[in-house]
Amino acid sequence: MLAMADPDLDNGPRTERSATMRMCAVTREVRPIDELIRFVVSPQGEVVPDLKRKLPGRGLWISASRRTVAEAVRRNQFSRGFKREIRAAATLPADTEALLVRSATEALAMVAKAGQIVSGFSKVEGALRDGQAQALIHATDGAADGIRKLDAIVRQKRANADESPEIPIVNVLTSAELDLALGRSNVIHAALLAGPASKTFLSRCQTLVRYRMADDDKTAEAARNSD
């Protein structure tokens, strides 16, 4: 357990940088901070997700699960945790997911700026076959046929013991969100190339998948391979 006077609240990002584990205020489980979301109270008295864990003030930690955040709102957990009347909007679970999506699209925009991505079926297929692709991206509203064909290449590489590392498949953003991130139209398929910006994007996608799917207790596998 954490050696804290109040196990529900941290003392602010400046004093808690070394912490790697926190207790979820709803489930009471101590988990790695990558599996939780920090919430703070704005000057207006509203609950705000602190995805980057940098906002000032004390923070309340909730498991990175839409269902758990909804339960925190239903149970008035924020007022209990912060020990004062707090306005937690009923839309907080959806608002948090929207922020996670925006975080992922912003990271993907940085990938594009760094030149660490290709898009379009033919270019993606070539990157997969040439071994340049570090991850395969599909729009959630993409046609099944194209997704099936590209996924088959990934499965073929996975079956080959000499192919390494495994190529994750990311399917968390719509075509419109991919268009926005990449500054192009009608993006359905893309392939990440090697680079630090790509790693940041994959990490943020993992958080988004966890938020959507954590309740299935298959978070790690889904985040690695969200097809």
Side-chain angles (χ1 to χ4, degrees):
M1 298 292 291
L2 301 171
M4 300 173 60
D6 187 341
D8 281 350
L9 297 175
D10 65 30
N11 292 315
R14 295 183 181 276
T15 57
E16 299 292 340
R17 289 179 180 174
S18 61
T20 59
M21 304 286 288
R22 288 290 179 198
M23 177 185 289
C24 171
V26 176
T27 67
R28 315 308 294 173
E29 294 177 325
V30 176
R31 310 179 69 171
I33 59 173
D34 286 343
E35 297 180 10
L36 299 106
I37 296 175
R38 183 177 187 262
F39 290 87
V40 299
V41 180
S42 72
Q44 293 74 35
E46 299 174 342
V47 176
V48 177
D50 179 18
L51 300 184
K52 296 183 179 179
R53 311 175 192 126
K54 293 182 178 180
L55 294 179
R58 303 191 73 183
L60 187 75
W61 296 78
I62 305 292
S63 295
S65 154
R66 181 168 177 146
R67 183 183 300 174
T68 307
V69 174
E71 183 69 7
V73 174
R74 188 187 70 81
R75 290 167 46 177
N76 200 25
Q77 192 66 51
F78 296 99
S79 291
R80 295 178 182 177
F82 288 104
K83 296 178 173 58
R84 59 191 175 100
E85 191 59 34
I86 300 295
R87 294 195 304 273
T91 58
L92 184 62
D95 294 342
T96 300
E97 182 170 347
L99 287 176
L100 290 170
V101 169
R102 188 171 75 181
S103 177
T105 56
E106 289 174 350
L108 189 58
M110 294 304 296
V111 171
K113 186 175 181 180
Q116 297 170 11
I117 192 168
V118 295
S119 63
F121 187 93
S122 297
K123 291 182 179 180
V124 171
E125 182 182 28
L128 288 171
R129 295 192 184 281
D130 294 343
Q132 296 178 326
Q134 301 295 303
L136 173 61
I137 301 172
H138 297 306
T140 57
D141 50 348
D145 185 56
I147 292 174
R148 177 179 53 78
K149 290 178 180 178
L150 293 175
D151 285 357
I153 299 175
V154 174
R155 286 194 297 271
Q156 184 179 31
K157 286 183 171 292
R158 288 175 180 170
N160 188 337
D162 294 333
E163 296 291 346
S164 137
E166 184 174 294
I167 299 174
I169 300 173
V170 179
N171 190 356
V172 297
L173 300 176
T174 66
S175 177
E177 290 162 349
L178 293 177
D179 290 352
L180 179 64
L182 301 183
R184 305 171 192 174
S185 299
N186 302 316
V187 178
I188 302 299
H189 311 288
L192 292 184
L193 309 180
S198 294
K199 292 181 181 179
T200 299
F201 169 69
L202 288 175
S203 176
R204 293 186 183 181
C205 284
Q206 180 177 354
T207 302
L208 177 56
V209 171
R210 178 179 292 116
Y211 187 78
R212 290 172 172 171
M213 300 181 66
D215 302 308
D216 294 334
D217 290 328
K218 297 178 181 178
T219 301
E221 179 62 24
R224 287 196 301 268
N225 182 20
S226 54
D227 59 345

